[in-house]
Amino acid sequence: MIMRKRRSRHTRHWKLTAITLLFAVYACAALYYSTLEPDLLRLGATGLCGLLFVATSCIRQPIRRIAALCGLCACFAIWFCTNLPSNNREWAGEYAVLADAIQDGRTVHVRNIRDFTYKTETDYTPHYYNADFDLDHLATIDLITSYWAGDSIAHVFLSFGFDDGRHLAVSIETRRQKKFSYSTIAGFFHHYELTYVTADERDLIGVRTDIRKERVYLYRLELSAQTREAVFKNYLTEIHKLTTTPRWYNTLMDNCTTEILARANARTRYRLDWRVLLSGYTASLAYDLGLLNTHYDFATLHELSRIKRPANAVPDANYSNEIRESLPLALANK
């Protein structure tokens, strides 16, 4: 009986130690990747947090240790919940200007459409313009997936096509500060704000196909006119909302793929599909949902939907037409 009690206390001790360690790692990482300024404050808060958790783990009496741990958790939760996103930071150049969209009847006014001309990924000439779009002329929505390493992870975004030949690409991204380089780990914490980049296809897709040389695929979504309009209007609403109510980006819960599903009012079970987390397989999910061209099996459609560009191509005024020339006819002509 005595041995059993000792074993039980020993087990509780290690469980409590493991919980303390896991929370300490998360809390320290959250502080380290936070937007606290100056950097000395951010690093100091991270170090102090670690020391406090070490001190907590040294408390021998379980009740006191639990009380101390709860106190630390409460302090962290208060900071975390009051650490609000902002639109007022020194942003990286490609995110410096926030898009906006306002609907007036059947006309949509989109402001600050990005149209950069790139020499390299970091050497570009910034340019923005405003444009009006008629909802009655919204003709297509295309799904774009762009791969830079492996097949599991891709950046996913949409492009809205109109029957006058214009396209408005909208990419949901991390709004990165100028002083920070991109970090996948940082995306799990309050590090990046979420932004909707509205852009010309020759900017948003062209930088990926011709400048970064990524593998880029374009699929036509087979949607009714009513659904296309509903998705577009949901995008517009969120674009405008972000101008006054910024949000944090989160790699798991609020990323480029989950936001697309949210704007499309997808059912929760689809948002929890493993292909949402491994975004490189998002097109496969769309295919299984009957949203892509089912005249081909998915493997064939995937191969045919890759955008093929000459080795020295540069995005020009005819870019949107050029990238669709090699796509399946059932896709290109729908």
Side-chain angles (χ1 to χ4, degrees), residues 7-25 53-73:
R7 194 177 300 116
S8 178
R9 285 198 298 268
H10 186 72
T11 300
R12 287 198 300 268
H13 168 78
W14 282 109
K15 285 183 178 179
L16 187 55
T17 299
I19 292 172
T20 302
L21 178 61
L22 289 173
F23 194 84
V25 170
F53 275 104
V54 170
T56 298
S57 67
C58 293
I59 299 175
R60 291 185 175 276
Q61 294 184 358
I63 295 179
R64 291 185 177 181
R65 188 194 292 188
I66 291 173
L69 180 60
C70 289
L72 285 177
C73 291

